[in-house]
Amino acid sequence: MGRGAEADCAVYVDGRRLPGERHHAEALAAARRAGGFVWLGLHEPDLTEMTEVAATFGLHELAVEDAVKARQRPKLERFGEVSFLALRTARYCEHTELTETSEVVETGQVMLFVGPHFVISVRHGDVCRLDPVRAEVEARPERLRHGPWAVVHAITDRVVDLYLEVADRMADDLEVLETDVLAPPSRPSASDRRGAGGIQRIYQMKRELVEFKRAVLPLQRPLLALVGHAGIEPRDARGAGDGDAVPAEIRRYLQDVQDHLSRTVEQVNTYDDLLNSILQARLAQVTVDQNNDMRKIAAWAAVIAVWTAIAGVYGMNFTHMPELGTRYGYPVVLAAMLGISLALYRWFRRNGWL
């Protein structure tokens, strides 16, 4: 296998990493002899590389195909003694200003194969690097003594911690967006942001939130299965649930991860409601602005109608019309037209139409 895909391969016995580098086949044999387990880390392997790993570890072809494609919803499946857990990772993208094209959330994929003597992590993208996770878990040998599921907990804990970070940072963007939309139109910066791009910025934020929700919400069911809630976890042909394979101590740690995930889910649902409210407020502003424009047009039309009506009457070609022979009729009519127009203008201004 090319070293580009095999990021790290280590054997752990009694919570400690054995020294030296090994091929994954040699590492699995050593782990079985010593009663430990292998953690094989892969980064964006192709089908050939995954097929080689599958032959060594006895992985199911359907799970291997999912691991290569990396377009999976979070899920937990059981293939004999091997569990397959798919996770969607997320990371907040830094930006100076939220625009119609800003990328707020970047997502990736991490998939885990867990067997009696191994755990294989397959990572796609650079959203959640697993090197820090490996270093952190190796510093806690008492946790690693619980076997491969200790690694599963460490990775899921890191993924959910990133969810919390993304959710907290998105709250700042939503606060800025809400302030811009609801700001008084007299503010110059607010008037620019509440223009045609205002609704587009809201829709862009909704698209980013939907991408984040696709990573967060589906993970609830797999985590509940690992924690061991009855009626939740999928079962294999022998009736053994995935929750039954997790050591009790690790299950307690996974419960803490589940609690953090529940908090993130609540935040995401709140953000969704808030974005809908912001969108409705912006649409209401657009309607009010359109009504104001129509009132201004109607007011100016009324002012112009005075001149049009009087000029239209005196433009008729009749010989005997009133006031045609009056010496000062022309300036009097012009003055009357101007006076009526000024009176209408002041009345419309006083009532807020102009």
Side-chain angles (χ1 to χ4, degrees), residues 315-327:
M316 291 186 293
N317 297 320
F318 290 104
T319 303
H320 303 287
M321 290 185 65
E323 311 301 334
L324 287 179
T326 305
R327 180 179 180 85

Side-chain angles (χ1 to χ4, degrees), residues 18-264:
L18 298 184
E21 295 184 1
R22 298 173 176 83
H23 185 267
H24 58 267
E26 299 172 354
L28 180 60
R32 286 172 173 168
R33 287 195 303 267
F37 71 93
V38 179
W39 179 2
L40 172 62
L42 302 175
H43 181 224
E44 298 182 353
D46 57 27
L47 183 58
T48 302
E49 294 165 335
M50 276 303 303
T51 301
E52 180 183 345
V53 172
T56 301
F57 292 89
L59 308 181
H60 196 280
E61 59 180 352
L62 293 178
V64 170
E65 183 180 355
D66 290 344
V68 173
K69 290 183 177 180
R71 297 177 181 176
Q72 305 302 314
R73 286 169 54 89
K75 63 179 180 179
L76 176 65
E77 296 178 341
R78 186 74 177 263
F79 300 94
E81 293 184 337
V82 179
S83 298
F84 175 70
L85 176 63
L87 306 170
R88 292 287 297 274
T89 55
R91 177 176 62 187
Y92 182 82
C93 299
E94 297 289 343
H95 50 272
T96 56
E97 184 180 5
L98 183 64
T99 65
E100 295 86 350
T101 58
S102 294
E103 184 179 10
V104 179
V105 179
E106 180 185 359
T107 58
Q109 190 104 52
V110 170
M111 283 156 286
L112 304 174
F113 296 87
V114 189
H117 295 284
F118 64 87
V119 55
I120 303 171
S121 58
V122 182
R123 178 171 62 91
H124 289 266
D126 293 323
V127 174
C128 179
R129 301 186 67 87
L130 299 182
D131 295 340
V133 179
R134 187 184 288 266
E136 181 181 353
V137 75
E138 286 179 354
R140 298 179 178 180
E142 71 283 356
R143 192 81 57 82
L144 277 177
R145 290 192 182 98
H146 294 287
W149 287 103
V151 176
V152 175
H153 162 258
I155 294 176
T156 54
D157 186 47
R158 175 59 178 162
V159 169
V160 174
D161 283 346
L162 286 177
Y163 289 169
L164 289 171
E165 180 181 336
V166 172
D168 291 340
R169 299 295 297 277
M170 289 185 74
D172 298 334
D173 286 332
L174 287 172
E175 183 177 355
V176 172
L177 188 62
E178 183 180 25
T179 301
D180 290 345
V181 169
L182 301 181
S186 58
R187 290 174 49 185
S189 60
S191 63
D192 294 338
R193 291 170 180 169
R194 288 173 55 184
I199 294 180
Q200 295 174 355
R201 291 168 64 232
I202 298 173
Y203 275 119
Q204 175 64 18
M205 194 65 186
K206 285 182 71 69
R207 283 193 292 268
E208 296 297 312
L209 182 61
V210 167
E211 184 176 359
F212 187 42
K213 287 174 65 176
R214 288 173 180 168
V216 175
L217 269 61
L219 185 56
Q220 296 177 94
R221 187 177 181 87
L223 273 185
L224 286 173
L226 292 179
V227 171
H229 288 261
I232 299 295
E233 70 272 14
R235 299 181 178 275
D236 62 9
R238 296 170 299 176
D242 291 281
D244 301 330
V246 184
E249 183 67 18
I250 298 301
R251 201 176 300 179
R252 283 192 286 267
Y253 285 108
L254 287 172
Q255 179 64 61
D256 182 67
V257 177
Q258 172 64 30
D259 294 340
H260 290 171
L261 180 65
S262 298
R263 172 189 162 189
T264 307

Side-chain angles (χ1 to χ4, degrees), residues 294-309 337 340-341 344-345 347-348 353-354:
M294 291 303 297
R295 289 197 303 177
K296 290 179 181 180
I297 294 173
W300 283 114
V303 172
I304 296 173
V306 174
W307 294 70
T308 303
M337 294 164 68
I340 295 174
S341 297
L344 287 174
Y345 177 80
W347 186 81
F348 285 131
W353 283 51
L354 290 175

